[in-house]
Amino acid sequence: YTGTLFVDDIELVEWNTVRDKQVGKNLNTVNTNLEDAEQTAKSLSAQTDANKSLEEVGCSSLGEGYDALATYVEKTDAEKRAVIRAEMKKYIAGVMRAAGNAVKDWIVVKEPLAQESGNASDFYWQRYLGDTLYAVEALKDAAGQSAAHLYIEESGLDGDLSKCKRFVNEVAAIERQGGRVDGLAVNIDAYVDSTDIGAVGEMFKMLAATGKLIRISDLNVTVKDATYKTITESQLKQQAQLYADILKAYNDNVPESQRGGITIHQVLDGDTPNGLWNQSYSRKHAYGSVAEALK
């Protein structure tokens, strides 16, 4: 091969090719001290042919195009913000231009309350643009490109009403700074025997009090520890009832004019039997309960 190779996230492990699984410890022995770029690149050296090592073709754990012989000057925080801001604008414009008028509801910002993972390789807009400002700017960009409803989505609100209140307050802060928010979307992971349906109703009531469209963006009802092969008839009926109870709570607490829509996480069972149809494409009890609730 002649050209430049790009390598990222190198991990060495002991692997059993017959069993196709890892059987030993992580064997990484390279120096991943990112403070010393040249040393990091050299420690990842690997022969690409008889004469060239990895860093000589411009590869390192620092990312694409690294040159061990070059001198790098890190951008200032202001320069980083300008680059990231331009990329956000470009990305949003490209997505919405491609979709045209086909999409009527956009979840522009997802999980604004989420904390950074601490993994330096994970990307977060807010790391460069600010915890609230990134959402404000994203919504401004989206509003300038589309007439669709613009949503902010959060998860885990049904089991944590204090988080729901923080979410409502964060949306209000985004609006005060000029971000247009038409609706609030909630991702619900519900479990048979542990989901508090009363708390679900209170969550919908709290969200509806904002006057915005309220959408269930990803409804998932699971029976803990059950698989497609082990789930019982009784558990299937309990699952169906919880689907019905959640949709009833939505209808009871969200006025019709504010109902933004419902999306089921998975309509067909996988190994986790959380769908409305089973793997044989037969309707489950859950299908009937959802259909009745939507009437």
PDB file of all heavy atoms in Angstrom, residues 11 39 44 50 78 95 135 184 211 251 264 268 271:
ATOM      1  N   GLU A  11      -5.690  -0.833  20.446  1.00  0.00           N
ATOM      2  CA  GLU A  11      -5.768  -1.667  21.639  1.00  0.00           C
ATOM      3  C   GLU A  11      -5.239  -3.053  21.288  1.00  0.00           C
ATOM      4  O   GLU A  11      -5.647  -3.653  20.293  1.00  0.00           O
ATOM      5  CB  GLU A  11      -7.214  -1.777  22.133  1.00  0.00           C
ATOM      6  CG  GLU A  11      -7.339  -2.570  23.418  1.00  0.00           C
ATOM      7  CD  GLU A  11      -8.778  -2.604  23.924  1.00  0.00           C
ATOM      8  OE1 GLU A  11      -9.699  -2.545  23.095  1.00  0.00           O
ATOM      9  OE2 GLU A  11      -8.963  -2.710  25.151  1.00  0.00           O
ATOM     10  N   GLN A  39       7.016  11.345  21.370  1.00  0.00           N
ATOM     11  CA  GLN A  39       7.270  10.080  22.028  1.00  0.00           C
ATOM     12  C   GLN A  39       6.084   9.141  21.882  1.00  0.00           C
ATOM     13  O   GLN A  39       6.234   7.932  21.701  1.00  0.00           O
ATOM     14  CB  GLN A  39       7.575  10.297  23.515  1.00  0.00           C
ATOM     15  CG  GLN A  39       7.917   9.018  24.269  1.00  0.00           C
ATOM     16  CD  GLN A  39       9.098   8.282  23.663  1.00  0.00           C
ATOM     17  OE1 GLN A  39      10.090   8.906  23.287  1.00  0.00           O
ATOM     18  NE2 GLN A  39       8.982   6.973  23.514  1.00  0.00           N
ATOM     19  N   LEU A  44       4.124   3.985  19.223  1.00  0.00           N
ATOM     20  CA  LEU A  44       3.127   3.250  18.450  1.00  0.00           C
ATOM     21  C   LEU A  44       3.673   2.771  17.111  1.00  0.00           C
ATOM     22  O   LEU A  44       2.922   2.388  16.236  1.00  0.00           O
ATOM     23  CB  LEU A  44       1.900   4.145  18.209  1.00  0.00           C
ATOM     24  CG  LEU A  44       1.070   4.464  19.440  1.00  0.00           C
ATOM     25  CD1 LEU A  44      -0.007   5.483  19.113  1.00  0.00           C
ATOM     26  CD2 LEU A  44       0.437   3.210  20.004  1.00  0.00           C
ATOM     27  N   ALA A  50       9.004  -2.722   4.587  1.00  0.00           N
ATOM     28  CA  ALA A  50      10.352  -3.016   5.081  1.00  0.00           C
ATOM     29  C   ALA A  50      11.073  -1.780   5.595  1.00  0.00           C
ATOM     30  O   ALA A  50      12.036  -1.896   6.348  1.00  0.00           O
ATOM     31  CB  ALA A  50      11.167  -3.674   3.977  1.00  0.00           C
ATOM     32  N   ALA A  78     -10.426  30.596  22.218  1.00  0.00           N
ATOM     33  CA  ALA A  78     -11.282  31.373  21.313  1.00  0.00           C
ATOM     34  C   ALA A  78     -11.226  30.810  19.901  1.00  0.00           C
ATOM     35  O   ALA A  78     -12.252  30.731  19.210  1.00  0.00           O
ATOM     36  CB  ALA A  78     -10.855  32.834  21.315  1.00  0.00           C
ATOM     37  N   VAL A  95     -27.708  18.795   7.312  1.00  0.00           N
ATOM     38  CA  VAL A  95     -28.744  17.816   7.654  1.00  0.00           C
ATOM     39  C   VAL A  95     -30.122  18.315   7.234  1.00  0.00           C
ATOM     40  O   VAL A  95     -30.910  17.595   6.607  1.00  0.00           O
ATOM     41  CB  VAL A  95     -28.721  17.528   9.170  1.00  0.00           C
ATOM     42  CG1 VAL A  95     -29.956  16.736   9.582  1.00  0.00           C
ATOM     43  CG2 VAL A  95     -27.464  16.767   9.545  1.00  0.00           C
ATOM     44  N   ALA A 135     -26.516  24.832  23.094  1.00  0.00           N
ATOM     45  CA  ALA A 135     -27.901  24.520  22.757  1.00  0.00           C
ATOM     46  C   ALA A 135     -28.590  25.732  22.138  1.00  0.00           C
ATOM     47  O   ALA A 135     -29.358  25.604  21.174  1.00  0.00           O
ATOM     48  CB  ALA A 135     -28.651  24.070  24.011  1.00  0.00           C
ATOM     49  N   LEU A 184     -40.821  19.626  24.064  1.00  0.00           N
ATOM     50  CA  LEU A 184     -39.962  18.850  24.940  1.00  0.00           C
ATOM     51  C   LEU A 184     -40.208  17.373  24.672  1.00  0.00           C
ATOM     52  O   LEU A 184     -41.358  16.935  24.622  1.00  0.00           O
ATOM     53  CB  LEU A 184     -40.263  19.179  26.403  1.00  0.00           C
ATOM     54  CG  LEU A 184     -40.275  20.661  26.789  1.00  0.00           C
ATOM     55  CD1 LEU A 184     -40.589  20.827  28.264  1.00  0.00           C
ATOM     56  CD2 LEU A 184     -38.954  21.324  26.435  1.00  0.00           C
ATOM     57  N   GLY A 211     -46.471  24.611  28.511  1.00  0.00           N
ATOM     58  CA  GLY A 211     -47.253  25.052  27.361  1.00  0.00           C
ATOM     59  C   GLY A 211     -46.708  24.587  26.029  1.00  0.00           C
ATOM     60  O   GLY A 211     -47.275  24.895  24.978  1.00  0.00           O
ATOM     61  N   ASN A 251     -51.963  10.766  27.872  1.00  0.00           N
ATOM     62  CA  ASN A 251     -53.244  11.331  27.430  1.00  0.00           C
ATOM     63  C   ASN A 251     -53.946  12.099  28.552  1.00  0.00           C
ATOM     64  O   ASN A 251     -54.600  13.122  28.301  1.00  0.00           O
ATOM     65  CB  ASN A 251     -54.160  10.224  26.913  1.00  0.00           C
ATOM     66  CG  ASN A 251     -53.705   9.686  25.574  1.00  0.00           C
ATOM     67  OD1 ASN A 251     -53.108  10.399  24.790  1.00  0.00           O
ATOM     68  ND2 ASN A 251     -53.977   8.416  25.329  1.00  0.00           N
ATOM     69  N   ILE A 264     -42.248   4.372  19.547  1.00  0.00           N
ATOM     70  CA  ILE A 264     -41.902   3.151  20.288  1.00  0.00           C
ATOM     71  C   ILE A 264     -40.451   2.796  19.970  1.00  0.00           C
ATOM     72  O   ILE A 264     -40.035   2.802  18.810  1.00  0.00           O
ATOM     73  CB  ILE A 264     -42.831   1.986  19.896  1.00  0.00           C
ATOM     74  CG1 ILE A 264     -44.302   2.363  20.118  1.00  0.00           C
ATOM     75  CG2 ILE A 264     -42.467   0.732  20.686  1.00  0.00           C
ATOM     76  CD1 ILE A 264     -44.669   2.650  21.542  1.00  0.00           C
ATOM     77  N   LEU A 268     -40.280  -4.651  17.066  1.00  0.00           N
ATOM     78  CA  LEU A 268     -40.100  -6.097  16.891  1.00  0.00           C
ATOM     79  C   LEU A 268     -39.140  -6.619  17.945  1.00  0.00           C
ATOM     80  O   LEU A 268     -38.063  -6.057  18.143  1.00  0.00           O
ATOM     81  CB  LEU A 268     -39.563  -6.396  15.491  1.00  0.00           C
ATOM     82  CG  LEU A 268     -39.357  -7.866  15.135  1.00  0.00           C
ATOM     83  CD1 LEU A 268     -40.697  -8.581  15.014  1.00  0.00           C
ATOM     84  CD2 LEU A 268     -38.572  -7.999  13.824  1.00  0.00           C
ATOM     85  N   ASP A 271     -33.553 -10.249  21.198  1.00  0.00           N
ATOM     86  CA  ASP A 271     -33.361 -11.143  22.338  1.00  0.00           C
ATOM     87  C   ASP A 271     -34.040 -10.574  23.573  1.00  0.00           C
ATOM     88  O   ASP A 271     -34.524 -11.300  24.433  1.00  0.00           O
ATOM     89  CB  ASP A 271     -31.864 -11.343  22.602  1.00  0.00           C
ATOM     90  CG  ASP A 271     -31.203 -12.176  21.517  1.00  0.00           C
ATOM     91  OD1 ASP A 271     -31.923 -12.958  20.861  1.00  0.00           O
ATOM     92  OD2 ASP A 271     -29.988 -12.039  21.313  1.00  0.00           O
TER      93      ASP A 271
END
